[in-house]
């Protein structure tokens, strides 16, 4: 049996994490949906909401951008903004993301896939 | 040697967030204090604070903060700011506008940034709490730059793209006078044409209440009398925070662009007490020497001084030692300067105090008045002999001293002078 915390169980019964209260209400809803049913579409929407919130320049249209969009070159993230985003997910899902893994996160799609993989492992 | 002028002021203070309000408060002796309950605990004996109005900082999360609508603060700077960094940015933007400068005018090699704050114990406590909770397995990447001493210069230098000197001062309550003194020297020596000097502090419990452990805070619950420098019944200081920014410019540069000139920053002096980690020397040894050095540096005589903005924080020991120092410095002068401590109105801004009071002195020179000694009713015998005006005076001070003293016996005195060139 894994000692890794299961994000689905506490989220289904615990109050909404404090940091989600500052995002649009749809983010909290998507978080709850993912935690109760492991719905990948809900997680995708949650990730996009977090990216929008952490986008340093508040670039318009990020919600509709595709997976190929690069976080640094296209969206204007700097390494600290990426680290902040990673910290947000680490804290939300109680996971750890190491430096080598962060270095692989160049695009929105890579970040989304990575978070999904990490969260899915924990939720399994 | 080049001469240096004060050409812009920005205020986030307990007595006002703009020049007109601060001036009115000083003239009418209207204080900025409110009764507060700290940490939800009514048993805490410190009851009064010099509050910062117009800003709301309910949590360490910047997304929860609010500030006056006329400031546009982008998320990319907010994410690494402490609360006093937000105050400092607003005060700096105000000072730039007051000086008739654009942000782009200071993003160059010829502008220096000199800051003073104690950092943010509030943010540091929050981030270290997070670290312990996660057993140090993760942490907020902005935790360091938004909390440690230096957070002001890290953030302001980045925002304004400062490429000259970027530095911070940590001599406690003398810090921002140190920042001003060193900025003055750098411009005098031709290293910079301009300087942005900023002092800032927070009003959170984490910044103020540790002083209760030293028995340095007033326990008088009445906002109308809790801060009363030089009064026999004074019992400690009232804390405050906010931010004050000053624009200093080399005189030729300022005149060439037709800048409004508040005053000349004409000289400074510093000296240590060599005595105690927290208490000032009983006879104000270091402070007296700092004043004498400042007077010499400005090439004036003690008799030329019209007004002294005293450091006097309303503590029994500190006010007494400053009074003795003042009497020593002006003992042989043919005329005695007026003396008041505007901390009776503002509270004690700690690292911010020097910047706040230097800005007040520049304002007084420019607007031709001298602030009175608010709340002073029963003069401490040790302070008798000082020229302590009970009300603000409609007199134009030509030469003004501003004193600051910090822990470890660090004393700094600045000289400001009216500019008639």
């Amino acid at each position: 049996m894994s000692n890794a915390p299961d994000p689905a169980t506490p989220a289904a019964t615990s109050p909404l994490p404090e940091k989600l209260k500052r995002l649009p209400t749809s983010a909290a809803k998507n978080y709850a949906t993912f935690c109760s049913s492991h719905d990948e579409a809900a997680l995708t929407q949650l990730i996009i909401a977090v990216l929008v919130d952490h986008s340093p320049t508040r670039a318009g249209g990020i919600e509709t951008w595709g997976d190929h969009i690069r976080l640094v070159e296209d969206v204007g993230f700097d390494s600290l903004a990426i680290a902040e985003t990673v910290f947000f997910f680490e804290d939300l899902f109680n996971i750890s993301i190491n430096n080598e893994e962060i270095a692989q996160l160049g695009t929105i799609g890579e970040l989304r896939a990575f978070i999904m993989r990490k969260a899915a492992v924990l939720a399994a | 040697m080049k001469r240096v002028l004060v050409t812009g002021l920005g205020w986030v203070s307990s007595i006002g967030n703009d020049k007109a309000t601060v001036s009115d408060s000083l003239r009418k002796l209207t204080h900025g204090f409110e009764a507060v309950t700290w940490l939800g605990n009514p048993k805490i004996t410190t009851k009064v604070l010099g509050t910062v109005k117009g800003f709301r900082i309910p949590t360490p999360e910047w997304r929860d903060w609010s500030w006056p609508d006329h400031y546009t603060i982008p998320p990319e700077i907010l994410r690494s700011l402490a609360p006093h960094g937000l105050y400092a940015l607003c005060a700096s933007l105000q000072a730039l506008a007051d000086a008739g400068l654009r942000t782009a005018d200071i993003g160059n090699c010829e502008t220096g940034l000199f800051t003073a704050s104690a950092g943010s114990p509030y943010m540091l406590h929050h981030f270290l709490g997070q670290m312990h909770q996660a057993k140090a397995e993760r942490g907020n990447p902005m935790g360091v730059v938004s909390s440690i001493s230096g957070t002001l210069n890290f953030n302001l230098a980045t925002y304004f793209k400062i490429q000259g000197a970027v530095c911070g001062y940590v001599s406690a309550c003398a810090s921002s006078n140190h920042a001003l003194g060193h900025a003055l020297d750098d411009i005098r020596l031709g290293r910079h044409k301009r300087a942005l000097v900023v002092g800032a502090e927070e009003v959170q419990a984490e910044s103020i209440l540790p002083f209760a452990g030293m028995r340095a805070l007033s326990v008088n619950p009445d906002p109308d009398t809790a801060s009363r420098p030089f009064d026999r019944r004074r019992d400690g200081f009232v804390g405050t925070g906010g931010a004050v920014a000053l624009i200093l410019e080399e005189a030729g540069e300022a005149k060439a662009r037709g800048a409004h000139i508040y005053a000349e920053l004409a000289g400074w002096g510093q000296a240590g007490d060599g005595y105690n980690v927290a208490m000032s020397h009983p006879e104000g040894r270091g402070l007296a020497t700092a004043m004498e050095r400042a007077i010499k540096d400005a090439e004036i005589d003690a008799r030329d001084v019209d007004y002294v903005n005293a450091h006097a924080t309303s503590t029994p020991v500190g006010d007494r030692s400053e009074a003795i120092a003042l009497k020593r410095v002006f003992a042989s002068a043919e005329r005695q300067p007026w003396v008041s401590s505007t901390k009776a109105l503002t509270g004690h801004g700690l690292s911010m105090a020097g910047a706040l009071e230097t800005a007040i002195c520049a304002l007084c020179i420019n607007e031709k008045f001298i602030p009175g000694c608010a709340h002073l009713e029963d003069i401490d015998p040790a302070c008798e002999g000082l020229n302590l005006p009970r009300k603000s005076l409609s007199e134009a001070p030509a030469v003004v001293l501003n004193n600051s003293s910090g822990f470890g016996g660090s004393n700094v005195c600045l000289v400001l002078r009216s500019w008639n060139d």
Side-chain angles (χ1 to χ4, degrees), chain B residues 192-236:
Chain B
H192 294 101
K193 290 180 178 173
R194 290 194 183 107
L196 169 61
V197 186
V198 188
E201 288 284 10
E202 289 169 14
V203 288
Q204 268 71 14
E206 288 82 354
S207 285
I208 306 293
L209 288 187
F211 290 94
M214 306 175 81
R215 309 287 166 165
L217 297 178
S218 172
V219 296
N220 178 349
D222 182 1
D224 292 333
T225 56
S227 182
R228 43 185 161 184
F230 304 124
D231 193 285
R232 190 199 298 260
R233 293 162 299 175
R234 69 189 184 276
D235 70 336

Short mmCIF file of all heavy atoms in Angstrom, two decimals, chain B residues 192-236:
data_model
loop_
_atom_site.label_atom_id
_atom_site.label_comp_id
_atom_site.label_asym_id
_atom_site.label_seq_id
_atom_site.Cartn_x
_atom_site.Cartn_y
_atom_site.Cartn_z
N HIS B 192 26.04 59.60 -9.06
CA HIS B 192 24.66 59.56 -9.55
C HIS B 192 24.15 60.98 -9.77
O HIS B 192 24.62 61.91 -9.14
CB HIS B 192 23.74 58.88 -8.53
CG HIS B 192 24.03 57.43 -8.32
ND1 HIS B 192 24.75 56.97 -7.24
CD2 HIS B 192 23.71 56.35 -9.05
CE1 HIS B 192 24.86 55.65 -7.32
NE2 HIS B 192 24.25 55.25 -8.41
N LYS B 193 23.15 61.07 -10.66
CA LYS B 193 22.49 62.35 -10.83
C LYS B 193 21.21 62.43 -10.00
O LYS B 193 20.74 63.51 -9.63
CB LYS B 193 22.16 62.57 -12.31
CG LYS B 193 23.40 62.82 -13.15
CD LYS B 193 23.04 63.02 -14.60
CE LYS B 193 24.31 63.33 -15.41
NZ LYS B 193 24.02 63.37 -16.85
N ARG B 194 20.65 61.25 -9.78
CA ARG B 194 19.39 61.19 -9.03
C ARG B 194 19.44 60.01 -8.10
O ARG B 194 20.15 59.04 -8.32
CB ARG B 194 18.18 60.99 -9.95
CG ARG B 194 17.84 62.15 -10.81
CD ARG B 194 16.46 61.99 -11.43
NE ARG B 194 16.21 63.11 -12.31
CZ ARG B 194 16.21 63.05 -13.64
NH1 ARG B 194 16.39 61.89 -14.24
NH2 ARG B 194 16.01 64.12 -14.37
N ALA B 195 18.58 60.08 -7.07
CA ALA B 195 18.40 58.92 -6.19
C ALA B 195 16.94 58.84 -5.78
O ALA B 195 16.29 59.86 -5.53
CB ALA B 195 19.29 59.03 -4.96
N LEU B 196 16.45 57.60 -5.74
CA LEU B 196 15.15 57.32 -5.13
C LEU B 196 15.46 56.72 -3.77
O LEU B 196 16.13 55.68 -3.68
CB LEU B 196 14.38 56.31 -6.00
CG LEU B 196 13.11 55.70 -5.42
CD1 LEU B 196 12.07 56.77 -5.09
CD2 LEU B 196 12.52 54.66 -6.38
N VAL B 197 15.01 57.38 -2.72
CA VAL B 197 15.26 56.92 -1.36
C VAL B 197 13.91 56.57 -0.73
O VAL B 197 13.00 57.40 -0.71
CB VAL B 197 15.99 58.00 -0.52
CG1 VAL B 197 16.36 57.43 0.85
CG2 VAL B 197 17.22 58.50 -1.25
N VAL B 198 13.81 55.36 -0.22
CA VAL B 198 12.52 54.89 0.29
C VAL B 198 12.70 54.22 1.64
O VAL B 198 13.57 53.37 1.81
CB VAL B 198 11.89 53.85 -0.68
CG1 VAL B 198 10.48 53.51 -0.24
CG2 VAL B 198 11.89 54.37 -2.11
N GLY B 199 11.86 54.60 2.58
CA GLY B 199 11.77 53.90 3.87
C GLY B 199 10.38 53.33 4.00
O GLY B 199 9.40 54.00 3.64
N ALA B 200 10.27 52.11 4.50
CA ALA B 200 8.93 51.49 4.63
C ALA B 200 8.92 50.47 5.75
O ALA B 200 9.95 49.84 6.05
CB ALA B 200 8.53 50.85 3.31
N GLU B 201 7.77 50.31 6.35
CA GLU B 201 7.58 49.30 7.38
C GLU B 201 6.13 48.82 7.36
O GLU B 201 5.27 49.47 6.76
CB GLU B 201 7.90 49.85 8.79
CG GLU B 201 9.37 50.09 9.06
CD GLU B 201 10.16 48.82 9.35
OE1 GLU B 201 9.62 47.72 9.15
OE2 GLU B 201 11.33 48.95 9.75
N GLU B 202 5.89 47.71 8.04
CA GLU B 202 4.54 47.17 8.11
C GLU B 202 3.91 47.43 9.47
O GLU B 202 4.61 47.69 10.44
CB GLU B 202 4.58 45.66 7.83
CG GLU B 202 4.89 45.41 6.37
CD GLU B 202 5.22 43.97 6.02
OE1 GLU B 202 4.97 43.07 6.86
OE2 GLU B 202 5.72 43.77 4.91
N VAL B 203 2.59 47.33 9.52
CA VAL B 203 1.87 47.55 10.78
C VAL B 203 1.30 46.24 11.31
O VAL B 203 0.49 46.24 12.23
CB VAL B 203 0.74 48.59 10.61
CG1 VAL B 203 1.30 49.98 10.45
CG2 VAL B 203 -0.17 48.24 9.44
N GLN B 204 1.73 45.14 10.73
CA GLN B 204 1.27 43.85 11.23
C GLN B 204 1.85 43.60 12.64
O GLN B 204 2.90 44.13 13.00
CB GLN B 204 1.72 42.73 10.28
CG GLN B 204 0.72 42.37 9.20
CD GLN B 204 0.58 43.43 8.13
OE1 GLN B 204 1.41 44.33 8.03
NE2 GLN B 204 -0.46 43.34 7.33
N ALA B 205 1.16 42.73 13.36
CA ALA B 205 1.62 42.37 14.71
C ALA B 205 3.06 41.91 14.71
O ALA B 205 3.83 42.21 15.63
CB ALA B 205 0.72 41.27 15.27
N GLU B 206 3.46 41.20 13.67
CA GLU B 206 4.82 40.63 13.62
C GLU B 206 5.90 41.71 13.59
O GLU B 206 7.03 41.46 14.01
CB GLU B 206 4.96 39.73 12.38
CG GLU B 206 4.21 38.41 12.46
CD GLU B 206 2.73 38.54 12.11
OE1 GLU B 206 2.25 39.68 11.90
OE2 GLU B 206 2.04 37.50 12.05
N SER B 207 5.55 42.90 13.08
CA SER B 207 6.53 44.00 13.05
C SER B 207 6.52 44.81 14.34
O SER B 207 7.55 45.33 14.76
CB SER B 207 6.25 44.95 11.88
OG SER B 207 6.66 44.37 10.67
N ILE B 208 5.34 44.97 14.93
CA ILE B 208 5.20 45.90 16.04
C ILE B 208 5.31 45.23 17.41
O ILE B 208 6.04 45.70 18.29
CB ILE B 208 3.83 46.63 15.96
CG1 ILE B 208 3.64 47.31 14.59
CG2 ILE B 208 3.71 47.65 17.10
CD1 ILE B 208 4.55 48.45 14.29
N LEU B 209 4.61 44.12 17.60
CA LEU B 209 4.49 43.57 18.95
C LEU B 209 5.77 43.03 19.57
O LEU B 209 5.88 43.01 20.81
CB LEU B 209 3.41 42.48 18.98
CG LEU B 209 1.97 42.99 18.89
CD1 LEU B 209 0.98 41.85 19.11
CD2 LEU B 209 1.69 44.10 19.90
N PRO B 210 6.76 42.60 18.77
CA PRO B 210 8.00 42.18 19.44
C PRO B 210 8.61 43.29 20.32
O PRO B 210 9.33 42.99 21.28
CB PRO B 210 8.92 41.83 18.27
CG PRO B 210 7.97 41.33 17.23
CD PRO B 210 6.77 42.24 17.35
N PHE B 211 8.30 44.53 20.03
CA PHE B 211 8.81 45.62 20.87
C PHE B 211 8.14 45.66 22.24
O PHE B 211 8.66 46.28 23.16
CB PHE B 211 8.64 46.97 20.15
CG PHE B 211 9.54 47.12 18.96
CD1 PHE B 211 9.10 46.80 17.70
CD2 PHE B 211 10.85 47.56 19.12
CE1 PHE B 211 9.93 46.91 16.59
CE2 PHE B 211 11.70 47.67 18.02
CZ PHE B 211 11.23 47.35 16.76
N ALA B 212 6.98 45.00 22.36
CA ALA B 212 6.33 44.94 23.68
C ALA B 212 7.19 44.13 24.64
O ALA B 212 7.23 44.40 25.85
CB ALA B 212 4.94 44.32 23.54
N GLY B 213 7.86 43.12 24.10
CA GLY B 213 8.73 42.31 24.94
C GLY B 213 9.88 43.11 25.52
O GLY B 213 10.44 42.76 26.56
N MET B 214 10.24 44.20 24.85
CA MET B 214 11.31 45.07 25.35
C MET B 214 10.75 46.15 26.26
O MET B 214 11.49 47.00 26.72
CB MET B 214 12.02 45.75 24.17
CG MET B 214 12.54 44.80 23.12
SD MET B 214 13.23 45.68 21.71
CE MET B 214 14.86 46.07 22.36
N ARG B 215 9.42 46.13 26.44
CA ARG B 215 8.70 47.17 27.21
C ARG B 215 8.91 48.55 26.58
O ARG B 215 9.00 49.56 27.26
CB ARG B 215 9.18 47.20 28.67
CG ARG B 215 9.17 45.84 29.33
CD ARG B 215 7.78 45.37 29.64
NE ARG B 215 7.75 43.94 29.96
CZ ARG B 215 6.73 43.32 30.54
NH1 ARG B 215 5.65 44.00 30.85
NH2 ARG B 215 6.77 42.05 30.78
N ALA B 216 9.00 48.56 25.25
CA ALA B 216 9.24 49.83 24.56
C ALA B 216 7.95 50.46 24.06
O ALA B 216 7.95 51.63 23.65
CB ALA B 216 10.18 49.61 23.38
N LEU B 217 6.84 49.70 24.04
CA LEU B 217 5.58 50.24 23.50
C LEU B 217 4.74 50.88 24.58
O LEU B 217 4.68 50.41 25.72
CB LEU B 217 4.78 49.12 22.83
CG LEU B 217 5.40 48.43 21.63
CD1 LEU B 217 4.49 47.32 21.12
CD2 LEU B 217 5.67 49.43 20.51
N SER B 218 4.02 51.93 24.20
CA SER B 218 3.09 52.56 25.13
C SER B 218 1.95 51.61 25.45
O SER B 218 1.46 50.89 24.56
CB SER B 218 2.52 53.84 24.50
OG SER B 218 1.49 54.35 25.33
N VAL B 219 1.53 51.59 26.70
CA VAL B 219 0.35 50.80 27.08
C VAL B 219 -0.82 51.73 27.38
O VAL B 219 -1.85 51.29 27.89
CB VAL B 219 0.64 49.88 28.28
CG1 VAL B 219 1.68 48.84 27.91
CG2 VAL B 219 1.09 50.68 29.51
N ASN B 220 -0.64 52.99 27.07
CA ASN B 220 -1.73 53.96 27.21
C ASN B 220 -2.79 53.65 26.13
O ASN B 220 -2.48 53.67 24.95
CB ASN B 220 -1.13 55.36 27.02
CG ASN B 220 -2.18 56.46 27.09
OD1 ASN B 220 -3.38 56.20 27.08
ND2 ASN B 220 -1.70 57.70 27.15
N PRO B 221 -4.03 53.35 26.52
CA PRO B 221 -5.02 52.94 25.52
C PRO B 221 -5.68 54.09 24.78
O PRO B 221 -6.50 53.86 23.88
CB PRO B 221 -6.07 52.21 26.38
CG PRO B 221 -5.99 52.89 27.72
CD PRO B 221 -4.56 53.29 27.90
N ASP B 222 -5.33 55.33 25.12
CA ASP B 222 -6.01 56.49 24.53
C ASP B 222 -5.24 56.99 23.30
O ASP B 222 -4.13 57.51 23.44
CB ASP B 222 -6.10 57.59 25.58
CG ASP B 222 -6.84 58.81 25.05
OD1 ASP B 222 -7.28 58.79 23.87
OD2 ASP B 222 -6.96 59.80 25.81
N PRO B 223 -5.82 56.86 22.10
CA PRO B 223 -5.11 57.34 20.90
C PRO B 223 -4.74 58.82 20.97
O PRO B 223 -3.80 59.26 20.31
CB PRO B 223 -6.12 57.09 19.77
CG PRO B 223 -6.99 55.99 20.28
CD PRO B 223 -7.11 56.25 21.76
N ASP B 224 -5.45 59.60 21.79
CA ASP B 224 -5.19 61.05 21.85
C ASP B 224 -3.98 61.40 22.71
O ASP B 224 -3.53 62.55 22.68
CB ASP B 224 -6.42 61.78 22.37
CG ASP B 224 -7.58 61.71 21.39
OD1 ASP B 224 -7.32 61.60 20.17
OD2 ASP B 224 -8.74 61.75 21.82
N THR B 225 -3.50 60.46 23.50
CA THR B 225 -2.36 60.79 24.37
C THR B 225 -1.26 59.73 24.41
O THR B 225 -0.26 59.91 25.10
CB THR B 225 -2.84 61.02 25.83
OG1 THR B 225 -3.54 59.84 26.28
CG2 THR B 225 -3.76 62.22 25.93
N ALA B 226 -1.46 58.62 23.70
CA ALA B 226 -0.51 57.50 23.84
C ALA B 226 0.91 57.89 23.41
O ALA B 226 1.88 57.44 24.00
CB ALA B 226 -1.00 56.30 23.03
N SER B 227 1.02 58.72 22.38
CA SER B 227 2.34 59.17 21.94
C SER B 227 2.51 60.63 22.34
O SER B 227 1.84 61.51 21.81
CB SER B 227 2.47 59.02 20.42
OG SER B 227 3.78 59.41 20.01
N ARG B 228 3.37 60.89 23.32
CA ARG B 228 3.56 62.27 23.79
C ARG B 228 5.03 62.49 24.15
O ARG B 228 5.40 62.53 25.33
CB ARG B 228 2.64 62.59 24.96
CG ARG B 228 2.52 61.50 26.01
CD ARG B 228 1.48 61.91 27.04
NE ARG B 228 1.01 60.74 27.78
CZ ARG B 228 0.06 60.78 28.69
NH1 ARG B 228 -0.55 61.91 28.98
NH2 ARG B 228 -0.33 59.70 29.33
N PRO B 229 5.86 62.63 23.13
CA PRO B 229 7.29 62.87 23.38
C PRO B 229 7.52 64.07 24.29
O PRO B 229 6.79 65.07 24.23
CB PRO B 229 7.84 63.15 21.97
CG PRO B 229 6.91 62.42 21.06
CD PRO B 229 5.56 62.55 21.70
N PHE B 230 8.50 63.94 25.14
CA PHE B 230 8.97 64.99 26.07
C PHE B 230 8.01 65.23 27.23
O PHE B 230 8.28 66.07 28.09
CB PHE B 230 9.25 66.31 25.34
CG PHE B 230 10.23 66.21 24.21
CD1 PHE B 230 9.90 66.62 22.92
CD2 PHE B 230 11.51 65.69 24.42
CE1 PHE B 230 10.81 66.51 21.87
CE2 PHE B 230 12.42 65.57 23.38
CZ PHE B 230 12.07 65.98 22.09
N ASP B 231 6.87 64.54 27.26
CA ASP B 231 5.93 64.72 28.36
C ASP B 231 6.34 63.82 29.54
O ASP B 231 6.82 62.70 29.34
CB ASP B 231 4.51 64.36 27.89
CG ASP B 231 3.44 64.81 28.87
OD1 ASP B 231 3.29 64.16 29.94
OD2 ASP B 231 2.76 65.81 28.56
N ARG B 232 6.12 64.30 30.74
CA ARG B 232 6.49 63.56 31.94
C ARG B 232 5.81 62.17 31.99
O ARG B 232 6.36 61.22 32.51
CB ARG B 232 6.06 64.39 33.16
CG ARG B 232 6.59 63.86 34.49
CD ARG B 232 5.78 64.44 35.64
NE ARG B 232 5.87 65.88 35.70
CZ ARG B 232 6.68 66.53 36.55
NH1 ARG B 232 7.43 65.85 37.37
NH2 ARG B 232 6.69 67.86 36.56
N ARG B 233 4.59 62.08 31.43
CA ARG B 233 3.82 60.83 31.54
C ARG B 233 4.02 59.88 30.35
O ARG B 233 3.32 58.88 30.25
CB ARG B 233 2.34 61.17 31.70
CG ARG B 233 2.02 61.86 33.02
CD ARG B 233 0.68 62.55 32.94
NE ARG B 233 0.69 63.57 31.89
CZ ARG B 233 -0.36 64.28 31.51
NH1 ARG B 233 -1.53 64.06 32.09
NH2 ARG B 233 -0.26 65.19 30.55
N ARG B 234 4.91 60.16 29.45
CA ARG B 234 5.13 59.27 28.30
C ARG B 234 5.54 57.88 28.81
O ARG B 234 6.25 57.76 29.82
CB ARG B 234 6.21 59.86 27.39
CG ARG B 234 7.61 59.85 27.98
CD ARG B 234 8.59 60.64 27.13
NE ARG B 234 9.96 60.55 27.64
CZ ARG B 234 10.46 61.31 28.59
NH1 ARG B 234 9.70 62.25 29.17
NH2 ARG B 234 11.72 61.15 29.00
N ASP B 235 5.11 56.87 28.10
CA ASP B 235 5.39 55.51 28.60
C ASP B 235 5.82 54.55 27.50
O ASP B 235 5.73 53.34 27.67
CB ASP B 235 4.15 54.96 29.32
CG ASP B 235 3.00 54.65 28.39
OD1 ASP B 235 2.95 55.25 27.29
OD2 ASP B 235 2.16 53.80 28.73
N GLY B 236 6.24 55.06 26.37
CA GLY B 236 6.68 54.18 25.29
C GLY B 236 6.17 54.68 23.96
O GLY B 236 5.38 55.63 23.89
#
